[in-house]
Every structure is written in C-alpha cells, then in structure tokens.
C-alpha cells in the first residue's frame, strides 16, 4: 500500500500513463487544450470535426451514422473495421483531451483486432457476428484482460486490478464481433452524479465544460455525447446510465436487473450485498441502437456467459404495427420540483404525444417517490464495513466533494442491522405491490416522467436523483429519450417555486430529456412503446 | 391471546370443527377409524375404494384419470363438475379420516361452484377456462376467502387469520375454472419433513401409517398419494414439495422461484426475508399433469396477478421430437449416503436410461452439497426475532419434536448479522458460478440424483434433506419422479455403510423416486427432458 503522502503522485502518474499513449498526431494544439477546462463555458462537441486531426472520411464515419447504420456498412464492406476503429480511436483521444472522459485506452489492440476482423470478412465472406467491426466503449468497471480496473481509487492503481478475465459482457461483445478500445471515467465510489476521482480527475460535459457529464457512467455519457463512440455500455443502480445520458444528450437505457450480463466487473463495494441490484445497459445516439444492443446481447444467450442472467430470451412482440399508447404520467413529488428546462421538455413531450393521438393518463396517487428515494439510500448503506470508504482511505486520498456531500447515503450508513433489512424489504414489496395495482387498474402501457429534477448542473451541485432511483427501487426498465435543450430565454421559471441551485444562464445549452418506464422484465414492451414515443418527439 | 393452559383445547376444538363438517354418510366405520392410527403399519390407499362410501362411478372418477384426462372428460361433458367434485370431496373426507391430511374443508362451497360451472358449460357451450370443473387441493398456507390460514399455530386459530382475499394463485386457479375444496396439513413452522402441529395433529403416510407423509406439504402429499385430489399445490423452500411427493409416491415439482405466483399466502415467518426464495408448485399423479399445471398457470399471465412473478412466458421449445439426453449424475456426498431403497431406485433409473440410449455423465467434482446444506440453514435462521417461534410461544403450545430437533436451523439462529449475510451471499454466488461452469463445460441437459437420503421414515426421524435443499440454494427447478418401492427383501444394504435410522422392515412398501434438476428458469428444458426420463422409467 502506498504511503498516504503518495496518493497524488500515484494518481497523476497513472493518468499521465494513459495520456502518454495518445499518438502525437492525435494530440490537440496547446491553445485548444488550454481553453478546455472545467471553468470554460464552452461547447466542445464541434472540436473533433474542426481540429484537423480527423480526415473527412473519419468525420463522416463518426458523425453520420448510428451503430445500426455503421454495422450495415461494415458487413457490406462499405467501410473496413480498421477505418472505423481508427476514426473512433482518434475521436476518443480527442474527446479525452477535451472532457477527460477515459480511464483506460487500448487503441493498438483495437486496431489489431479490427484488422483481424477485416481479414476474417474478406476470407470467409461473412461477419464474425452481428456487431462485426463496431467499436464499443465500456465503463471502467468492466474488466478487460490486461487493463486495470481501478474505478478511480488510488488504492486500486499499481497492477493489482489488472484483469485476468474479461467481464461476461465484454466476452459476449467480442464474440459478437465488436471492437473494444476504451474504458470510461467514473466517480470515486461510483455513487455520485459527478464523475470525478483522484486518479483520472473530473469528466466534463462536452456540451458545456462547466457542467457535469453526470454519473456514475459520466465518462460514457461524454464519450457518446461527443460521438467518440456511437454505442457505449454503462451500469445503473440509481441512475448511473440515465443521468449521464440526460446530461450528455444521448439515449440511455437501464434494463430490468439480470437481463444483461453484469458479472465479472470490478466493484467499489463488497460482494454479497442483499441490496438493490445494479444493471448494465447501453448509451446510444439513436433509439434503434438501444434496441440493437438489447436484441443482440439477448440473442446471444447471455445466460451461457453469466449465471446471474435471467434465462428470459428477448420476446419479439407480435404487434409491429403502429399503435395508440396509453401513457401514465408520473406525478411530480412536491419535495422534488423539476427545473424549468426539464418541465418544458416534459410538457413538450406530453403535447406532442397528445397531438399524435396518444392518451396521457395522469397517475393520481402513487406511492411516495420521496420515501422510495429515502429507502433506496438505506439499501446503499447496508455494508457494515463501508467498503467503498475503505478503498478510499487505503491510499490516504480524500473523498471527492460529491461523495462527501452525497445525498445517496443514509445517516445510518454501516449501522443498519438485520431487523432493518427485513423492514426495508417488506416496505419495498408493499411499494411494488401498490405500483402493480396501478398498472393493472389503469391499463397503461408505460410511464412517462422526468429523468431528474434538473439536467446537467455546474460541477458538484447535481445532488439527488429521485426520479431515477425510483425505478431502481422498483426494478423497472427505464429509458432516457433526449428531447430539447435548456434555453435561458425560455426556461425562467414561474417566479413562485424556488429550484434548488437552478441558474438559467449556467444551464443554458444543456440537453434535456424525458424518461419512460415499465414493469420488471417488460423491457420488450417498453422499447416498443418508446420507439413510438421517440419518433413522436423527433417529429 | 389464549391463556397458555388453553392451547390443547383450542387446537382440539378447531380440529373437531373441521371433522364435524364431514357429512355422516361420508364417515368411515368406527372399526376402520380405530385401526387407522400412527402406530398402525397399514397401507390405507385401498380403503377409499373398499369402504363403500364411494359409488362405482366415484371410484372410477378418482382412480382412473389424471387431471389431463379428467379435464378432457369435463370439457366434453362426459362428467359434470358436480359429479367429479362430489367424488373428490368424498374421497378427501375419507382420506382425512385415515391420514389426517386436511386443515380446512369447504365442500359445500365447492359443490355450489361445480354446479355453477356445469350450468355455465351448458349455457355457453364452452368452458370457463382450461381447468374447468377440476377439483384442486391446496396447501394450508394459501389464502382462500372465508377460510382460516392457521398454519397449524394454535395462536393463529380464532378468526384473525380468516382470509379476506384469495392468494394470487388461488385467484388464478379459480379464473382458470378450477374448483377448490380443501386445504392440506403442514408442520408447525413449515420447516420440517413431519407434517405435525398442535391444531390438526399429524399427517400419516397413506402407504403406511407408521411413516411420515413428508413435509412441509405433507398433507398435500397424502391427499395426492391417496388420490383425494389428482392435482395439488404445495410450496418449497427446502424440499417441501419434493419430500412429500417422494414419501407419498407422486410427482412433485419445485419450479424456479418467481414463476408461479407465491403472493398473498399466510406465512409462519416474517415478511421481508433476504434469504432463499420459496416457490409454489404442483404435486400430481402423472408427469403430464405437472406440465399441465405449469403451462396453464404460465399461460394465464401470472404477472397480472402477482407482482413478484417473473415476466417470463412459458417457452414452447421447438424440438418436440424424442431426443437423446446427456444426463449429469449428481455425486453422492459421503456425509449423506443414500439408503438402500433410494440407491436401488437411482441405479434402476440409470440402467434404464442407459439402456434407452441416453448418456449418463457422472459429474466429478461439484461444490460441496454438505456446505450448501449448511449455508441454507443459515439463510433459514436470519430473522433476529425468530418469528415462527414467537408464533408457537404465543399460545403456550410446545414445539413439535421435529421442530425441536430440526437440522434446518443454524446454531446461530436469530444471531446472524449483516456481515454474515454479505458472506452468505458471496459464498452462494460463488457456488452458483461454479455450478454454472459445470453446465457450460459438460453440456449436460439435466442433473439426475436422489431426492433424499431416505424415503418415508418412521415419524419424527426423517431429519435432513441435503439433496433437495441443494436446489433451493441454487434456485434450480427440480422434479421428483416416483420410481419403485422400498422392499425389505432386496434393500438390505451392503453391510459396510451405516445408514442413519434405516430399517428395511419399517420402510418396506414406501414409495421411492429420483430427482431431476436444471438451471434457474430452465423449467421448460427440464420438463422436456423429464418427460423422456419419466417415460423410460415407466417402461
């Protein structure tokens, strides 16, 4: 273990070793670098296109396709995987210099694999699998053989977390033909909406560097938000896919627990938690790529890779014809009023959906969202030895601000006993049963509501996420659909409600969105409905 | 609450109230009753046929059909539901007098419902549902409106457990057209293989009254074993469906957890347990009735009735053609040698399966069965206030012998803390992962092994059930297939191994069987394989 005085040096050295791997010709000019910092109120999403590092083809590859379209090109030989992988490696290197979104990079290995895939396609006249040649980004928590899984803990640096086995999902993606090339940044402990740690520093929002990229899959949000990948994989136990998706303007899907392989990841916490299950899921630039991810992974029989995956094949629902939806509208909890830009995004969605002929059913009484949010914080706080804090303390590094001020941990952190757990579980079951009654009595297809009270906030001020934790508490599959952007001219509020920390000027330009959710293992029904909703919102 | 001196009277009064509901013409002669007691080494399965209470038609109805065949008759109008329900009510009354297998009876209500169903069929020329008119027996733990769910606790008698709502599964079975008429006996606490309590007394094995009918669904085992029902529903968190099925010579299936609605039952324990999940499932007189139960319940979208049910529709597997199975053979744990009759049943099954061309793969190393058995006892022991014991103490009644001597509870009963639970969960996950590797590396279709060390034992000596708890620990769907009977002339042992409590003379005549199991949510694959195995064993 490092002496406590060493933690800064260890972190800095690790971070530098990643930056050092960027080839000189992929490096941004000094003045661009100097301008890209967490106090710079700038949108950097255009820089990859403008910086001169990418060729015209590489700009087209990274900006003009989603994963579905790129895969079609790749399979047809329209692009080689080498060309596509090169383009995304370069863009990822640029993105990292601008937003600090990456932890590990393995560009050389990725390019080697791309060459192999190209040769395979040429020799066999068929693809390795449905993800043939596509670069996919993964959150740092996934193990990739030969790479460290430090999770941003200084105490995890130094070789002991170098993966000897791929995570189950990583192995699957490779078997499906994907190319992996980067791992993305996360917050210390993975339990905040600010992806900052003392190894890699803070991930910035590509739409405005002064804002958070969200967390815990904040690096992934930035990567997909700046199109350094068109498909990324995060994990979510309280909003960790959906908050970054919201903040960075991407689609983000938390599937029902245990449908996508979660096994074989590094963890900031302790094995054996009896708490709420985390889920892995995609961040994407198009709705159809969310479906692509789910159908491709489920089509590969993930239960062969991971014993924790439900043996529940993806169900192709029979009704493919457009249909009229009955959409339950989640009431806003008075304890958590949504900020004007989020209100406008939601109102716009409601208007458009009504105009398109869908039925909006405001749900009257629902079990308290605030109580669910409080209860889930207790679940996060069960570990009596508070392992994530031990992992911080092991190097002498301090807690990051968003951990020290976390709204996600109970005051009884580490002190809850078996009696408390019985009570928590019984309360949760009652809540699930009450919600179940709402579904069966109202006949709604999905629930529409906000993603969070706010979209991207200035660093370290995001706070709580009651509208995402609700669905972790209920184990509801839930999808963020990007919709509109915060606008300081319009989103001024009504003057009556005080929105905690909201500043129209500071938030201006941040993406906004809405969230749709369904019952556990109704992922298929959710995506069918969300496809319709997504089309309506785009129209 | 009753004074402690009253518990015997309260129990006796409750039991008498049930017996009083038997119409005089359904009562057995005094000499038959006098001969039917727990020290009588007699087989009573023939008495319903011989006692003169059932008409020839009623004997045919109750003895010549399984549920599948009866349903066909009922739907075609070959029998009225009234005739069938009358036959099974009478047989249940007889069975209860012989084996003490029932808790609640509601014959009048059942006959009224049967009449309604007959009228419905006559008027509409169609059935109410796929279970139209079929009497189904349920374990006492299921709530049925208007009936008590005492679970054999004296403290639960007196009106406070009268159900105001049906259990989710009860509601489903009624919606599917079934007729419910009886609830069946269980052990105090539901945690032993001896279905005895101080309200209803002890259930006796219809094949030999000196032997246990098994537990905790022991009443259900006796009911189906004596054909007082051709289809019954039990619950299983350690073998509670499978042990009675074994002891009473029926099929018994513990599905994967959360596939059959479990919600809305009475419980001896406390809500909110973070331990192993219990499952509801069928006891049946034929293999195809097990399939009938699963397909019918899953076909009714049980997730509409119970929020805890997985949204995983029954999968109709494509390969309906006979196929050659690769069957993994579970090694016998040296700590739990199986008694000669069980050995013979297993050896016979292996020989027949080999002769039929199937491949038997002895599994070499498997994670310790003894450790799994020890670990699950810890899960059973988590509740810090030991609610089942509180429910015993509340009336002043003593523990029954098999509870007092229970091998299913940890020495740390009520003393395990959160730290222990993390460790338990982590160990369990490791065990599941190790087993997962066995499946993926060997390519086996199912696992074949013993149900228990022993078949039905003299009362209060059954003890532990490591070969059933294993599959609760792993959440493997597991089916008991009845096969052969204990024979004192053959099952004499080899003279080298001492079988705890085995006495060839005493066990003579008890049914034996084997157990097949598959991975979680592979219920469909398991039944497809078990159908083949079941046919081979019958041949």
């Amino acid at each position: 273990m490092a002496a406590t005085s060493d933690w800064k040096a260890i972190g800095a050295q690790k971070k530098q070793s990643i930056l050092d791997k960027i080839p000189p010709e992929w490096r941004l000019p000094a003045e661009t670098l100097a301008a890209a910092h967490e106090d710079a109120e700038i949108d950097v999403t255009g820089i990859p296109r403008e910086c001169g590092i990418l060729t015209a083809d590489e700009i087209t590859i990274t900006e003009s396709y989603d994963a579905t379209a790129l895969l079609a090109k790749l399979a047809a030989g329209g692009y080689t995987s080498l060309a596509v992988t090169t383009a995304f490696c370069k863009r990822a290197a640029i993105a990292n210099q601008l937003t600090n979104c990456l932890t590990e990079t393995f560009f050389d290995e990725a390019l080697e694999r791309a060459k192999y895939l190209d040769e395979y396609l040429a020799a066999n006249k068929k693809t390795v699998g449905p993800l043939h040649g596509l670069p996919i980004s993964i959150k740092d928590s996934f193990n990739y053989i030969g790479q460290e899984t430090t999770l941003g803990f200084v105490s995890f640096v130094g070789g002991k977390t170098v993966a000897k086995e791929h995570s189950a999902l990583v192995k699957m993606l490779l078997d499906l033909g994907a190319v992996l090339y980067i791992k993305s940044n996360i917050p210390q402990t993975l339990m905040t909406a600010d992806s900052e740690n003392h190894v890699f520093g803070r991930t910035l929002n590509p739409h405005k560097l002064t804002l958070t990229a969200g967390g815990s899959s904040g690096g992934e949000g930035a990567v997909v938000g700046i199109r350094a990948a068109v498909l990324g994989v995060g994990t979510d136990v309280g909003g960790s896919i959906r908050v970054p998706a919201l903040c960075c303007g991407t689609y983000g899907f938390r599937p029902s627990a245990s449908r996508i392989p979660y096994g074989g990841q590094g963890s900031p916490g302790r094995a054996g938690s009896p708490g709420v299950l985390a889920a892995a899921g995609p961040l994407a630039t198009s709705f159809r790529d969310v479906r692509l991810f789910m159908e491709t992974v489920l089509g590969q029989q993930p239960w062969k890779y991971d014993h924790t995956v439900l043996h529940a094949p993806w169900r192709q629902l029979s009704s493919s014809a457009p249909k009229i939806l009955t959409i339950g509208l989640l009431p806003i909890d008075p304890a958590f009023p949504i900020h004007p830009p989020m209100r406008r995004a939601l109102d716009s969605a409601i208007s458009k959906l009504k105009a398109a002929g869908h039925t909006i059913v405001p749900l009257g009484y629902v079990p308290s969202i605030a109580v669910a949010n409080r209860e889930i914080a207790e679940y996060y706080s069960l570990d009596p030895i508070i392992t994530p804090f031990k992992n911080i303390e092991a190097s002498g590094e301090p807690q990051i601000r968003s951990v020290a001020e976390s709204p996600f941990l109970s005051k009884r952190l580490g002190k809850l006993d078996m009696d408390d757990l019985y009570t928590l579980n019984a309360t949760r079951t009652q809540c699930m049963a009450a919600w179940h009654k709402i579904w069966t009595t109202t006949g709604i297809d999905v629930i529409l509501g906000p993603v969070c009270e706010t979209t991207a906030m200035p660093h370290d001020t995001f706070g709580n996420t009651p509208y995402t934790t609700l669905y972790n508490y209920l184990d509801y599959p839930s999808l963020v659909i990007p919709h509109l952007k915060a606008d300081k001219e319009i989103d001024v509020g009504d003057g009556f409600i005080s929105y905690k920390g909201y500043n129209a000027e500071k938030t201006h330009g941040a993406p906004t969105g809405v969230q749709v959710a369904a019952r556990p293992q109704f992922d298929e029904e959710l995506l069918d409905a969300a496809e319709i909703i997504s089309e309506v919102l785009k129209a």
Side-chain angles (χ1 to χ4, degrees), chain A residues 31-240:
Chain A
E31 63 272 27
T32 308
L33 289 177
H37 54 78
E38 67 179 64
D39 298 319
E41 228 174 26
I42 55 170
D43 178 342
V44 299
T45 55
I47 293 184
R49 181 168 51 241
E50 300 148 6
C51 65
I53 293 172
L54 298 178
T55 66
D57 256 6
E58 287 163 351
I59 292 171
T60 304
I61 287 170
T62 53
E63 299 197 356
S64 301
Y65 300 91
D66 62 0
T68 305
L70 261 185
L71 284 166
K73 275 286 223 189
L74 282 159
Y79 288 125
T80 63
S81 179
L82 185 60
V84 172
T85 301
T86 302
F88 281 104
C89 284
K90 289 171 77 173
R91 197 167 179 116
I94 296 164
N96 196 29
Q97 295 171 74
L98 294 168
T99 66
N100 205 29
C101 53
L102 304 183
T103 57
E104 308 293 329
T105 61
F106 29 105
F107 299 134
D108 291 347
E109 192 175 330
L111 295 168
E112 279 304 311
R113 175 163 168 79
K115 274 185 229 167
Y116 158 77
L117 292 168
D118 289 335
E119 286 160 15
Y120 182 96
L121 181 61
N124 297 281
K125 311 291 175 218
K126 62 171 189 179
T127 61
V128 160
L131 299 179
H132 185 97
L134 181 76
I136 294 178
S137 173
I138 53 175
K139 185 176 183 173
D140 188 67
S141 54
F142 289 97
N143 281 327
Y144 185 93
I145 291 173
Q147 301 298 324
E148 281 189 297
T149 302
T150 65
L151 298 171
F153 288 123
V154 176
S155 66
F156 279 23
V157 176
K160 56 181 146 325
T161 63
V162 173
K164 292 183 185 67
E165 278 189 86
H166 291 315
S167 292
L169 182 61
V170 166
K171 182 156 183 358
M172 279 197 71
L173 294 175
L174 293 172
D175 286 353
L176 287 160
V179 177
L180 303 194
Y181 60 124
I182 48 176
K183 299 214 300 178
S184 64
N185 204 12
I186 38 66
Q188 187 191 56
T189 77
L190 267 65
M191 286 300 293
T192 91
D194 284 90
S195 294
E196 182 199 16
N197 59 67
H198 291 123
V199 178
F200 302 103
R202 182 194 295 284
T203 298
L204 311 179
N205 191 317
H207 297 279
K208 199 171 193 178
L209 298 183
T210 47
L211 301 178
T212 182
S216 70
S217 313
E220 210 52 47
V223 163
V224 179
I226 200 169
R227 302 187 70 93
V230 283
L231 195 56
V233 188
T235 62
D236 191 320
V237 75
S240 282

